[in-house]
Amino acid sequence: EELARGLDAGLVAHLPLDDLTNEATPALVGRPGYINTRLINVLAPPDVVDGHAGRAFAFDGHNYLDIGDAADFEHASAFSLGAWIRHAGPGDRDAALIVKRNEEQKRGGYQLTLTKDSRLRASLIHDAGRQEVQVLTAESVPAGAWTHVFATYNGSGRAAGVTLFINGEAQRVEVESDNLERLSILNGNEVLISNWNTRDTPNGAIEGFREGVIDDVRIYGRVLSPLEVAQLAGARPLARVSEATPPVGFRDDLYVHYRLHEDAEYSRWQAVLDSLRRVPIEIPSVMVMEEMAEPRQTHILARGAYDAPTTAVGPGTPAAILPFPDDYPRNRLGLARWMTHPRHPLTSRVLVNRVWALLYGRGIVATQEDFGSQGALPSHPELLDALAVWVQENGWDVKALIRKITLSAAYRQEARISPEKQARDPQNILLAHGPSQRMTAEMVRDNALAISGLLNPEMGGWWVKPYQPGEIWKEMANQIGENKYRPSTGADLYRRSLYSYWKRTIPPPAMLTFDAAERTVCVVKRQSTSTPLQSLVLLNDPQYIEASRVLATRLLRGDDAIARAFRMATSREPDDRERAIL
């Protein structure tokens, strides 16, 4: 009884189909507490027939069952799946039983299928035919009778981690492919029963059962022990431990069951192993180019025609800016040295100007993107020169430059300004008061997290995925595991926006609302707008709602919550008028 009760643990999808009638099939609903299920009719709904227990679906090659976007598993996730089936025997093609994969690109997912010669096959797929795990039973699944088929996977990324069962008995298997290499199998597609994909096919024919019945489909987010699989199949009811001669293999299965579910020490180390399996094994690398031993000859092209070369040319730089030193190599290394030469008039000035614009909202040269003859003249040329020389002499240290500017008397002025000064210098070109400008999109989010105490200050490492609408990628992203957005968990949700994953074809809408660049092209200077959408983001986005809730919780502990909240949000104390309003 205890084992039977435990068979609900970790169950993420279950279709017992016990109470079906032919009239009820268009509104099929899965077991309460699990997933909602919908029936997709290609030409006709599956027939409802007598099942192994209760009722079942009979498929004819023109219908299938879509149980929705569920049961997401990664290569390091342990999971199990299977069902009761009855099939007619060998056919002219493989038949899908339980499938979750991207059929169009043949990338990502997992599946349990029946081969043309009626053998059971389990597959874990990163890139079909290249990077996958596939194992196949040596024996065929009996035809014409109800048979329980099941597969378990321990999250190892190896074929050895897959076990196939027929009628509750572990099978001898053949390894067809063992080349997953701990690569992702995530897939946001629906789980299908008796079909490979939801796309239209000629004449409505699909790659499922042409003549077969399926009952009691189960998907678990854990490894079932052989004893549990046998219990599902009804093949080996629990023998009494006191029996002198328990069934063959019972002691071994009982030990495995105990180890998986009762042994705390084993479970602890298994959790450690699972976490290690999730660590990417790729060695971080960057793309580089190597100089050719003999540089390729380059010519000026007549009117730009590729087949009309004229004068041969070589690498060079504008002499009007700085003559190229004779001892510098004429390659990328030489170009880098030329750009950072102490006498180069532009590089350090451009760097200083961009940092200044970031802090003040306006550069010393207003046209950050243009230092040429069409650009604006510097408002404070001596200041620009002095900072440009300073940054060169201090090893091009950007953090030190930011510290120097922000600790200056000019930056530390009060931002409020009198009407007279506002009228004389509305853009604050003369630096008569401290900067007052909009924060960037990344700063808005990071500031909210910092005020609430949620901000994760960890530096470096992998990208993370903050809160986003769950369906944002569904229509446009068709890459492996990327047609459904999965936010990070734990402290990774609250890392600085610098580390947020960014898909250029589908940029984060909250960031775009606050004028972040789409990153499809290089943008030197962002726009700064004010729209009602920005207020709606702050009021409704889960990240800001959560930050507000946590900040409120912090304020409940201690006195004078208004003053503390105001100081955290603005870095100053409220005056009497502000306090009265709040």
Side-chain angles (χ1 to χ4, degrees), residues 354-362 401-402 405-406 411 435 437:
R354 291 193 182 182
V355 173
W356 189 275
L358 179 69
L359 297 172
Y360 272 90
R362 181 186 186 279
L401 175 63
I402 292 174
I405 295 174
T406 55
Y411 185 85
Q437 60 168 319

Side-chain angles (χ1 to χ4, degrees), residues 199-278:
R199 293 179 298 151
D200 292 336
T201 51
N203 303 318
I206 58 177
E207 300 297 314
F209 266 142
R210 288 188 179 174
E211 188 177 350
V213 189
I214 298 180
D215 190 7
D216 195 37
V217 177
R218 290 173 179 256
I219 304 177
Y220 289 84
R222 65 181 180 89
V223 174
L224 267 63
S225 69
L227 205 59
E228 291 176 302
V229 178
Q231 187 79 359
L232 286 175
R236 188 182 300 167
L238 270 177
R240 292 190 299 274
V241 178
S242 60
E243 286 186 359
T245 56
V248 175
F250 174 75
R251 291 182 185 276
D252 293 339
D253 290 351
L254 189 60
Y255 169 71
V256 172
H257 181 79
Y258 170 81
R259 187 185 64 187
L260 283 173
H261 305 301
E262 307 294 339
D263 188 338
E265 186 70 5
Y266 176 86
S267 298
R268 183 172 72 86
W269 285 109
Q270 185 64 47
V272 172
L273 178 60
D274 292 344
S275 66
L276 292 175
R277 284 171 174 163
R278 286 175 168 80

Side-chain angles (χ1 to χ4, degrees), residues 491-510:
D492 283 348
L493 264 177
Y494 313 114
R495 295 202 66 190
R496 292 161 56 207
S497 301
L498 173 68
Y499 300 105
S500 294
Y501 186 95
W502 193 293
K503 189 172 183 62
R504 283 183 294 180
T505 54
I506 315 172

